[in-house]
Amino acid sequence: MVRARSEERRAEILRATLEVIAERGYRGATLGAVAERVGLTQQGLLHYFPTKDALLVAVLAERDRWDTSGGPGRDGWRLELLDSLVEYNAMRPGIVQTFSALLGESVTDGHPAREFFTERYAQVRENMARVLRLEFGERLPGGLTPERAAPLLTAVMDGLQYQWLLDPSAVDMPAAFRDFLGLLYGTGRDGHG
């Protein structure tokens, strides 16, 4: 009973953190603002998440769970679902900004999000290889194997996010991703030939 309430409280804090990030951006999302939103003191919030980084890593992990819930069915993700995910991300810049900021910082030694991102990217590359194999078999039209193309697909998705965050009027993230899918299919346009 106590554990269930603690989990409910953690979930409430994560939802509130997402709201605060959406309203104030990554830098403006303070522990105090989140604590106030859920009716806790900052010290009370630290009982559930000992640092802002720990809280933000938990938000990212929760974001990944939401992004994949109902996602891969029996047959796994399809490229069309990745296209939908890019569209969805374009509607939530605060979350994308948090993800991107933490990703950039996580490459430094000792950063609390480093392990999260290292493990996440290993899993993402594996999932992307599976997506590509379902779509193309053992070789993509350009000749790469799904395992060789998976890091490229991942890099395009994340790289487009950075460019879009820096200059959203110059980079139409969903359209650019559809252009990339056209390259994968060998059509030079948005998808199937």
Side-chain angles (χ1 to χ4, degrees):
M1 180 77 165
V2 170
R3 181 167 171 78
R5 280 209 322 256
S6 178
E7 289 302 313
E8 286 175 22
R9 189 61 152 168
R10 286 177 60 86
E12 179 186 6
I13 291 167
L14 292 176
R15 281 191 303 274
T17 303
L18 284 169
E19 291 171 5
V20 171
I21 290 168
E23 293 167 9
R24 303 179 184 195
Y26 166 70
R27 298 220 186 286
T30 64
L31 289 176
V34 174
E36 183 179 320
R37 178 77 47 109
V38 294
L40 289 172
T41 63
Q42 191 166 324
Q43 195 61 34
L45 179 67
L46 293 173
H47 170 75
Y48 295 94
F49 298 96
T51 64
K52 181 179 179 181
D53 285 335
L55 176 58
L56 293 176
V57 168
V59 165
L60 292 172
E62 190 67 18
R63 177 203 100 134
D64 279 356
R65 277 192 289 280
W66 292 333
D67 286 352
T68 59
S69 65
R74 258 188 25 236
D75 298 330
W77 281 97
R78 303 297 292 204
L79 283 175
E80 296 83 21
L81 289 176
L82 293 179
D83 187 22
S84 296
L85 180 59
V86 172
E87 289 268 359
Y88 180 53
N89 281 341
M91 295 185 293
R92 50 189 196 158
I95 297 304
V96 174
Q97 183 184 37
T98 300
F99 173 88
S100 299
L102 276 177
L103 174 59
E105 292 173 359
S106 75
V107 300
T108 59
D109 289 335
H111 191 278
R114 187 179 184 111
E115 184 179 342
F116 169 83
F117 281 111
T118 301
E119 291 173 10
R120 179 187 187 277
Y121 274 106
Q123 184 65 50
V124 166
R125 286 188 302 271
E126 186 178 304
N127 290 343
M128 293 301 171
R130 193 170 23 255
V131 166
L132 293 167
R133 183 167 281 104
L134 280 168
E135 194 72 29
F136 299 107
E138 293 304 314
R139 295 271 173 202
L140 279 70
L144 290 177
T145 64
E147 286 72 23
R148 297 245 345 255
L152 302 174
L153 175 56
T154 305
V156 166
M157 291 180 77
D158 287 353
L160 282 172
Q161 287 185 159
Y162 276 108
Q163 292 179 60
W164 171 72
L165 286 169
L166 290 169
D167 193 355
S169 65
V171 177
D172 181 340
M173 184 168 58
F177 187 70
R178 285 190 296 276
D179 290 342
F180 177 74
L181 291 181
L183 293 174
L184 284 182
Y185 284 105
T187 63
R189 54 188 180 79
D190 63 354
H192 315 282

